[in-house]
Amino acid sequence: AAASGAARRALAGAPAHVAGPLHHLVLQAEAALAGHGGETGRLADRARTLRKGGPLPEDATPLPPSGAAAGPLADRLRPGSPLLPPGARVAVGATLAGWASMAVGSAHPYWAVVTAAAVFQANTTLSWQRAVQRVVGNLLGLVLFTALLPLTRSGAVPLVLTALVLQVGAEAFIARNYWLGTLCVTPMALLLNEFAGPRPAAQLIGDRWTDTLVGAAVGLLTCVVVTNRRAADRTEAALARVREARHAAAAATDPGPHRDRLAAALVELREAADIAAGEWWQRALPDERVTEEEHEGHRTLAALAERLPARATAA
């Protein structure tokens, strides 16, 4: 459901001659995944062909009306918005981290600000995990920087090549394994200072380590102090939206728009439940109701797949 929703959102902004054929494939994939298409192998081959630049299919299905676009920032940060607690954490935590870094005499307080901002995740539990990854990655990155220092200070060419290799490593790892990405980012950030001229290595290493610890500590403290008690309320609201969408979809004569609405509601429910489960100082979550509503919602999605237009499931 999450992949399908993401595909539909992406296609909503694509040109019609591209969006129509791809939307047709999305409908076929949804039917196949629900067990009614029997074409998963053919669709997988078609996807590989498209990723290699192959031609779009000639058949097309008109796109359904797209959902409402996200409102302006002022609306999304209105009182009661689920974005307010995470936004407050970032604003307060990053500011305090910068002040704390300056208070301890660091010459690079923005490193503490970046660390605090990187620590903040969807909930407190994930923030603790990210803080550990950040600290471990920075520590090992400082060891790597120390080992590379004789090479990088032997000339401009080794300095440039080393920075490029670290940049490639950071891009390759950061989305797959955060601490491995940080292992490359840390020495790269320190080497960038070297382009202006050799700096005292002990000072750079000391500032980076100090700012890492300060940023991580302030970030975690902010997560504890700035609580997100609205996470449970968001889960309750998401439960109600799934129930309403499920009943409307089951009674609808045209399954298309209602199926999209139900799929989006299920994605929102799973996201809200995961965030609330990782927040501290929360009231008990309705785990059984969430599980039951998800099961019923996905059963309804599978039933609606049988009612997709015939052209969406045809070979």
Side-chain angles (χ1 to χ4, degrees):
S4 174
R8 291 175 180 275
R9 287 192 297 272
L11 292 179
H17 69 282
V18 173
L22 291 181
H23 179 243
H24 179 87
L25 292 180
V26 171
L27 289 177
Q28 292 186 47
E30 289 174 340
L33 290 173
H36 306 294
E39 297 289 343
T40 53
R42 181 181 62 84
L43 289 171
D45 292 338
R46 207 165 191 180
R48 284 191 289 269
T49 300
L50 286 172
R51 284 196 296 269
K52 294 178 180 178
L56 290 171
E58 295 181 359
D59 41 16
T61 302
L63 279 173
S66 59
L73 182 61
D75 292 341
R76 301 183 72 186
L77 295 179
R78 68 188 184 282
S81 169
L83 297 179
L84 279 180
R89 284 176 175 174
V90 173
V92 173
T95 302
L96 292 179
W99 286 345
S101 176
M102 290 188 291
V104 299
S106 172
H108 303 83
Y110 62 90
W111 283 343
V113 174
V114 171
T115 296
V119 163
F120 297 121
Q121 299 299 300
N123 56 42
T124 303
T125 299
L126 292 177
S127 296
W128 275 89
Q129 295 173 0
R130 177 54 60 87
V132 172
Q133 294 172 340
R134 180 85 180 186
V135 171
V136 171
N138 272 267
L139 176 60
L140 296 179
L142 290 175
V143 174
L144 179 58
F145 170 74
T146 304
L148 292 174
L149 203 57
L151 172 64
T152 58
R153 289 190 173 178
S154 64
V157 173
L159 175 62
V160 172
L161 291 178
T162 303
L164 288 175
V165 170
L166 292 172
Q167 175 68 39
V168 172
E171 296 292 341
F173 290 124
I174 199 70
R176 295 172 175 82
N177 189 306
Y178 184 79
W179 79 265
L180 277 178
T182 306
L183 174 63
C184 295
V185 170
T186 297
M188 183 181 68
L190 297 180
L191 286 179
L192 291 179
N193 289 274
E194 295 284 295
F195 280 90
R199 305 290 180 88
Q203 180 182 356
L204 283 175
I205 294 172
D207 283 352
R208 184 71 178 193
W209 184 237
T210 298
D211 289 329
T212 297
L213 295 180
V214 168
V218 172
L220 292 177
L221 179 62
T222 304
C223 286
V224 174
V225 174
V226 182
T227 59
N228 186 6
R229 297 182 179 275
R230 294 173 183 166
D233 296 336
R234 184 188 175 195
T235 303
E236 293 285 355
L239 275 170
R241 280 190 284 273
V242 169
R243 190 180 306 110
E244 179 184 353
R246 180 165 55 83
H247 291 160
T253 56
D254 179 9
H258 294 280
R259 189 172 187 274
D260 295 344
R261 178 186 173 195
L262 176 57
L266 284 168
V267 172
E268 182 186 5
L269 174 59
R270 175 44 38 203
E271 178 184 308
D274 287 343
I275 291 176
E279 281 294 350
W280 295 3
W281 325 117
Q282 289 286 325
R283 65 177 184 270
L285 296 174
D287 293 329
E288 292 184 2
R289 289 170 52 205
V290 170
T291 301
E292 180 181 357
E293 203 63 53
E294 284 185 316
H295 286 171
E296 292 299 324
H298 285 289
R299 289 192 189 101
T300 302
L301 284 179
L304 291 175
E306 296 180 348
R307 299 162 54 189
L308 288 172
R311 60 182 171 175
T313 58

